[in-house]
Amino acid sequence: MTDVYYDPYDVEIDADPYPVYRRLREEAPLYYNDRYDFYAVSRYDDVEAGLGDPATFISGRGAILELIKANIDFPPGVIIFEDPPLHTAHRRLLSGIFTPRKVLALEPKIRDFCARSLDRVAGTGRFDFVADLGAQMPMRVIGMLLGIPEADQEAIRDQVDDTLRTEEGRPMELDLDFLAGEAFGAYIDWRADHPSDDIMTDLLNAEFEDETGTRRRLTREEILTYVTVVAGAGNETTNRLIGWAGKVLADHPGQRRALVADPALIPNAIEELLRFEPPAQHMARYVTRDVELHGRTVPEGSVMMFLVASANRDERRHPDGDAFDIHRAVGPQLTFGRGTHFCLGAALARLEGKIAIEEILKRYPDWEIDASAAKLAPTSTVRGFASLPTTVPT
């Protein structure tokens, strides 16, 4: 028996969950929380295998503990909460629109926006990785992709973000009205008459074969749902990635200096950062059949939580996993999921992270975090900073 306790809503655990994850891996590789009625696996091999088995561990009931427990029917188009064959049809459609060409074409615009954001605080001696960049840059990038006017992007981001916030120590209150997507309705209607080179126009014009084999276009409701999901997923996680870049590189000044000396190391540093501090700590699934794990049975109808952040530090896969090392040969990691639900925005998140670190290090090879003013954001779905004020050279 072990007395290890894991609770995704516990503020003290969330402040530094890694000691608990280590104990789970060693003492309770299959963990059960009776207060919230979920199972959890924490070792790399178990998380990788589970995420790669979408027939046993399904996403169609939601990928967040609160959503699965609520037993909600999601509207078509919430691709992250879908199973094959519906998910297959929708993912194929989005993959054809969310192309590498479209992502790479954004690089000059992303770099320009990043530079302007940093130039605005030049000479002040202060810089907040989240308020000045992390909360701004992903919103602008998604706005560029979708075709939302820059003047409206902040209000849209705040509306989406509000649905993910929780009170400290409590589960997320469910408000699925945002999935109806009416925040984007006016833009969709405008784009129908004023096409452009953006994802909204692509979605309006796309023809695809749906799960019934019918070739058709998306309905207005499906487009609204798609756009809402893309906006939400793109904002929250990349925001946290930029915050963690500030914190982790401040904690490892020698490695930060190495990146200044050789910017070619930055892409691998992003991979290590994603492994070391993944914004999404866990992914939940509904269990469709009895499963034997570590000598116990997980019953059909259970919720399984895959602790991605723990798996990424499992020394069975990543030796000395609790150490940050920009020279590490990172190899496979689970930050963006695995298999059918591998994150479609992974390339975009990596590109944004790379540009952000490049532009910051050009201006500020050195910085110190104001630890007394740094605040973690209260959400049960991602872990990262709501603010990360920093002192920089003037």
Side-chain angles (χ1 to χ4, degrees):
M1 289 292 291
T2 176
D3 62 352
V4 63
Y5 178 73
Y6 171 69
D7 175 345
Y9 311 119
D10 188 298
V11 177
E12 288 187 19
I13 293 175
D14 191 55
D16 181 11
Y18 296 103
V20 174
Y21 291 156
R22 175 179 281 276
R23 286 192 63 195
L24 288 173
R25 291 194 301 271
E26 300 310 318
E27 301 171 31
L30 175 65
Y31 173 77
Y32 177 68
N33 180 299
D34 56 2
R35 179 178 180 187
Y36 295 109
D37 185 28
F38 69 85
Y39 289 86
V41 288
S42 48
R43 293 180 180 174
Y44 189 100
D45 287 350
D46 292 332
V47 174
E48 181 184 48
L51 292 176
D53 183 0
T56 302
F57 303 102
I58 65 170
S59 301
R61 298 279 292 270
I64 299 167
L65 178 60
E66 297 96 316
L67 293 180
I68 299 174
K69 291 293 185 184
N71 196 19
I72 290 165
D73 289 326
F74 298 100
V78 187
I79 188 169
I80 54 177
F81 303 152
E82 289 180 342
D83 300 307
L86 185 64
H87 175 269
T88 306
H90 286 160
R91 187 180 178 92
R92 189 183 302 123
L93 170 64
L94 265 187
S95 296
I97 290 170
F98 207 75
T99 61
R101 179 192 67 80
K102 244 189 177 59
V103 169
L104 284 174
L106 288 174
E107 179 163 359
K109 293 180 181 176
I110 298 172
R111 196 172 293 280
D112 177 65
F113 177 79
C114 187
R116 283 189 284 128
S117 297
L118 293 166
D119 290 345
R120 273 196 291 273
V121 296
T124 64
R126 301 282 290 176
F127 171 63
D128 190 312
F129 272 84
V130 177
D132 293 326
L133 191 60
Q136 303 293 324
M137 186 169 149
M139 163 192 69
R140 299 296 186 206
V141 173
I142 291 297
M144 293 171 199
L145 269 173
L146 292 175
I148 296 169
E150 192 165 317
D152 298 344
Q153 289 167 1
E154 198 156 330
I156 291 288
R157 178 207 62 204
D158 291 346
Q159 186 170 339
V160 173
D161 280 1
D162 283 347
T163 65
L164 297 172
R165 293 287 175 269
T166 60
E167 288 185 44
E168 286 194 354
R170 299 187 59 184
M172 178 172 63
E173 289 191 12
L174 299 177
D175 175 11
L176 295 189
D177 288 346
F178 80 98
L179 285 176
E182 278 307 326
F184 299 99
Y187 306 113
I188 290 287
D189 296 338
W190 168 261
R191 277 287 170 251
D193 297 321
H194 303 85
S196 183
D197 183 22
D198 56 47
I199 284 180
M200 279 200 207
T201 303
D202 291 345
L203 288 170
L204 282 160
N205 296 328
E207 285 195 2
F208 76 111
E209 189 174 292
D210 69 16
E211 72 280 9
T212 69
T214 305
R215 188 150 191 87
R216 64 178 179 88
R217 289 191 173 188
L218 291 166
T219 65
R220 181 178 184 274
E221 290 71 26
E222 286 173 321
I223 294 172
L224 286 172
T225 303
Y226 269 136
V227 169
T228 303
V229 170
V230 168
N235 268 319
E236 189 74 6
T237 51
T238 310
N239 178 351
R240 304 296 165 228
L241 170 62
I242 292 170
W244 282 120
K247 176 67 166 66
V248 174
L249 290 177
D251 291 344
H252 298 83
Q255 298 192 57
R256 180 176 59 193
R257 285 192 291 272
L259 295 178
V260 173
D262 185 2
L265 295 172
I266 290 175
N268 196 66
I270 293 289
E271 292 306 299
E272 174 67 347
L273 188 65
L274 287 163
R275 180 199 71 81
F276 187 71
E277 285 288 8
Q281 294 272 296
H282 45 71
M283 302 170 188
R285 299 288 190 265
Y286 179 83
V287 183
T288 62
R289 62 177 180 84
D290 288 0
V291 179
E292 296 296 319
L293 274 169
H294 297 284
R296 293 163 59 198
T297 301
V298 178
E300 175 186 342
S302 300
V303 176
M304 177 63 77
M305 193 171 280
F306 294 104
L307 302 181
V308 169
S310 172
N312 277 351
R313 294 199 182 195
D314 186 352
E315 300 204 341
R316 297 163 188 81
R317 178 56 61 105
H318 296 292
D320 201 12
D322 283 328
F324 178 74
D325 179 6
I326 60 170
H327 302 288
R328 182 191 299 271
V330 180
Q333 56 169 299
L334 300 170
T335 296
F336 293 114
R338 170 172 158 70
T340 57
H341 279 274
F342 184 81
C343 176
L344 280 168
L348 182 58
R350 287 178 166 118
L351 178 63
E352 289 183 67
K354 171 178 167 288
I355 291 171
I357 291 178
E358 286 173 350
E359 294 298 322
I360 290 165
L361 289 175
K362 275 184 201 172
R363 291 161 178 78
Y364 307 124
D366 207 9
W367 63 80
E368 288 187 15
I369 302 298
D370 181 353
S372 64
K375 291 186 182 120
L376 283 171
T379 89
S380 67
T381 53
V382 294
R383 179 172 175 267
F385 291 94
S387 65
L388 193 69
T390 307
T391 305
V392 294
T394 54

